[in-house]
PDB file of all heavy atoms in Angstrom:
ATOM      1  N   ILE A 151     105.350  74.121  75.722  1.00 98.00           N
ATOM      2  CA  ILE A 151     105.856  73.633  77.002  1.00 98.00           C
ATOM      3  C   ILE A 151     106.211  72.179  76.766  1.00 98.00           C
ATOM      4  O   ILE A 151     105.354  71.419  76.274  1.00 98.00           O
ATOM      5  CB  ILE A 151     104.764  73.720  78.092  1.00 98.00           C
ATOM      6  CG1 ILE A 151     104.109  75.094  78.095  1.00 98.00           C
ATOM      7  CG2 ILE A 151     105.308  73.307  79.427  1.00 98.00           C
ATOM      8  CD1 ILE A 151     102.768  75.137  77.356  1.00 98.00           C
ATOM      9  N   LYS A 153     106.344  68.481  77.147  1.00 98.00           N
ATOM     10  CA  LYS A 153     105.555  67.492  77.901  1.00 98.00           C
ATOM     11  C   LYS A 153     106.157  66.116  77.634  1.00 98.00           C
ATOM     12  O   LYS A 153     106.672  65.879  76.537  1.00 98.00           O
ATOM     13  CB  LYS A 153     104.081  67.524  77.453  1.00 98.00           C
ATOM     14  CG  LYS A 153     103.415  68.909  77.551  1.00 98.00           C
ATOM     15  CD  LYS A 153     103.051  69.296  78.973  1.00 98.00           C
ATOM     16  CE  LYS A 153     102.417  70.667  79.013  1.00 98.00           C
ATOM     17  NZ  LYS A 153     102.048  71.101  80.360  1.00 98.00           N
ATOM     18  N   LYS A 155     105.357  66.934  81.621  1.00 98.00           N
ATOM     19  CA  LYS A 155     105.814  68.107  82.397  1.00 98.00           C
ATOM     20  C   LYS A 155     107.186  67.859  83.012  1.00 98.00           C
ATOM     21  O   LYS A 155     108.057  68.715  82.984  1.00 98.00           O
ATOM     22  CB  LYS A 155     104.808  68.408  83.524  1.00 98.00           C
ATOM     23  CG  LYS A 155     103.422  68.780  83.065  1.00 98.00           C
ATOM     24  CD  LYS A 155     102.426  68.796  84.214  1.00 98.00           C
ATOM     25  CE  LYS A 155     102.411  70.123  84.893  1.00 98.00           C
ATOM     26  NZ  LYS A 155     101.164  70.870  84.736  1.00 98.00           N
ATOM     27  N   ASP A 181     108.228  73.407  81.993  1.00 98.00           N
ATOM     28  CA  ASP A 181     106.938  73.478  82.669  1.00 98.00           C
ATOM     29  C   ASP A 181     107.143  74.050  84.068  1.00 98.00           C
ATOM     30  O   ASP A 181     108.275  74.110  84.577  1.00 98.00           O
ATOM     31  CB  ASP A 181     106.277  72.097  82.727  1.00 98.00           C
ATOM     32  CG  ASP A 181     104.789  72.204  82.386  1.00 98.00           C
ATOM     33  OD1 ASP A 181     104.178  73.239  82.754  1.00 98.00           O
ATOM     34  OD2 ASP A 181     104.244  71.299  81.751  1.00 98.00           O
ATOM     35  N   GLU A 182     106.022  74.432  84.695  1.00 98.00           N
ATOM     36  CA  GLU A 182     106.154  75.166  85.966  1.00 98.00           C
ATOM     37  C   GLU A 182     106.802  74.318  87.058  1.00 98.00           C
ATOM     38  O   GLU A 182     107.379  74.865  88.008  1.00 98.00           O
ATOM     39  CB  GLU A 182     104.790  75.673  86.448  1.00 98.00           C
ATOM     40  CG  GLU A 182     103.806  74.632  86.893  1.00 98.00           C
ATOM     41  CD  GLU A 182     103.072  73.959  85.739  1.00 98.00           C
ATOM     42  OE1 GLU A 182     103.259  74.390  84.589  1.00 98.00           O
ATOM     43  OE2 GLU A 182     102.342  72.996  86.003  1.00 98.00           O
ATOM     44  N   HIS A 269     105.392  82.716  85.067  1.00 98.00           N
ATOM     45  CA  HIS A 269     104.328  81.709  85.158  1.00 98.00           C
ATOM     46  C   HIS A 269     103.596  81.980  86.477  1.00 98.00           C
ATOM     47  O   HIS A 269     104.214  82.390  87.455  1.00 98.00           O
ATOM     48  CB  HIS A 269     104.934  80.308  85.139  1.00 98.00           C
ATOM     49  CG  HIS A 269     103.923  79.224  84.935  1.00 98.00           C
ATOM     50  ND1 HIS A 269     102.975  78.887  85.880  1.00 98.00           N
ATOM     51  CD2 HIS A 269     103.680  78.410  83.881  1.00 98.00           C
ATOM     52  CE1 HIS A 269     102.210  77.925  85.415  1.00 98.00           C
ATOM     53  NE2 HIS A 269     102.610  77.613  84.203  1.00 98.00           N
TER      54      HIS A 269
HETATM   55 MG1  LIG B   2     102.477  73.970  82.892  1.00 54.91          MG
END
Side-chain angles (χ1 to χ4, degrees):
I151 311 99
K153 305 284 179 180
K155 297 169 87 113
D181 223 325
E182 68 279 354
H269 192 291

